[in-house]
């Protein structure tokens, strides 16, 4: 490659998931030939995001504040707590469901083979939040994958002696499914038809 | 989305070709969750490349110097000039062929529908280079697509009254093909079997 800066850029683009050497080269050449302003704006957005985004001290979701917008909104219903795997799930539920409670974002799901156990998901913080803030219902909205189910069972097990209603989104969510794969209207219905978990 | 910086990053990632809203979100979340150091290095590589990479004053290839490494290498054979569409083609030929001449990089190919005419490809600079620097053979290595062929015909037409040999890579390169799609050994053979263009 005639330019070592170009070589470096191509190499660095490969930190992006699913980007191999060919598409990295295509991306770099496209930006250089047709959209340098866009490339500079992307550079700026990347450094700001990497440096300034942290995890909400209450729910673990990404935010650049101490508390995220949901946790700092006093009009939200503190008696309901919806547990999800990813920040994207919060967005989906916010868009689709009319849900007015709060969230806890695990930032993953139990996956022992990948070294992801309860500690990596921050479950101690979850149980502390549940027990200290008047939560009456915990809605488990982890995916219906094997790991998402295992995560839901683990959490409900730990709450079995607390006087807390535990429900799970099931209706209309296909087995193995991520919330992402479900239409908004289905998600809304899954919320209104949520079931006690585990089933008796 | 809980973080406006995250929103901005997702939007900015879409300057990359083939990256839609979903994969942009996946990329942003992956970097935030698992590779912030990689994200920062990418940001740095992007801004350096966008700001410092320019076009070689002689061959138009990308370089951060005035002249690219090939043009500034006095051991290269100045009597042969290989005309290619893209910087990537130079890399392929350098890797595969043993070619010792110089290049001219059009940074595209004739495509009137996209507003890409001779001026956009810098052909005046090409003809000036050919006529002023003792070039004896021009090797047209544009793609064998309709536009790549049209580009090759256009260039050879303009040189018909010059005492310059014009050849084209044909052997083993399938019609419609980019150099990228050809194996290194085939490219090497196409070089050694290059033919006078247009055929008599
Ligand atoms: Zn929060
Ligand atoms: Zn050059």
């Amino acid at each position: 490659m005639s330019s070592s800066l170009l070589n470096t850029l191509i190499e660095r683009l490969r930190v992006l998931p699913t980007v191999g050497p060919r598409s990295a080269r295509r991306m770099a050449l496209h930006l250089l030939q047709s959209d340098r302003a866009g490339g500079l704006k992307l550079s700026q957005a990347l450094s700001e995001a990497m440096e300034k985004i942290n995890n909400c001290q209450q729910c673990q979701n990404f935010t650049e504040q101490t508390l995220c917008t949901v946790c700092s909104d006093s009009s939200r219903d503190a008696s309901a707590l919806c547990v999800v795997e990813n920040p994207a799930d919060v967005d989906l539920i916010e868009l689709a469901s009319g849900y007015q409670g709060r969230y806890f974002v695990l930032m993953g799901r139990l996956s022992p083979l990948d070294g992801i156990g309860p500690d990596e998901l921050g479950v101690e913080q979850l149980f502390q939040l549940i027990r200290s803030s008047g939560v009456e219902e915990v809605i488990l909205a982890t995916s219906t994958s094997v790991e998402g189910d295992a995560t839901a069972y683990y959490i409900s097990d730990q709450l079995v002696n607390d006087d807390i209603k535990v429900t799970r989104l099931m209706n209309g969510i296909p087995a193995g499914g991520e919330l992402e794969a479900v239409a908004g209207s289905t998600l809304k219905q899954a919320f209104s038809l949520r079931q006690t978990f585990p089933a008796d």
Side-chain angles (χ1 to χ4, degrees), chain A residues 56-61 63 66-72 103 105:
Chain A
C56 172
Q57 284 190 359
Q58 188 161 299
C59 75
Q60 300 196 128
N61 202 355
T63 178
T66 310
L67 292 178
C68 73
T69 47
V70 172
C71 289
S72 58
Y103 297 94
V105 185

Side-chain angles (χ1 to χ4, degrees), chain A residues 138-171:
Chain A
V138 171
I139 302 160
L140 299 171
T142 53
S143 68
T144 55
S145 65
V146 173
E147 292 100 338
D149 272 338
T151 308
Y153 277 107
Y154 176 86
I155 294 169
S156 68
D157 266 2
Q158 303 288 311
L159 295 171
V160 79
N161 293 321
D162 295 80
D163 183 22
I164 285 163
K165 184 176 174 186
V166 177
T167 56
R168 176 139 171 72
L169 304 193
M170 324 270 293
N171 272 290

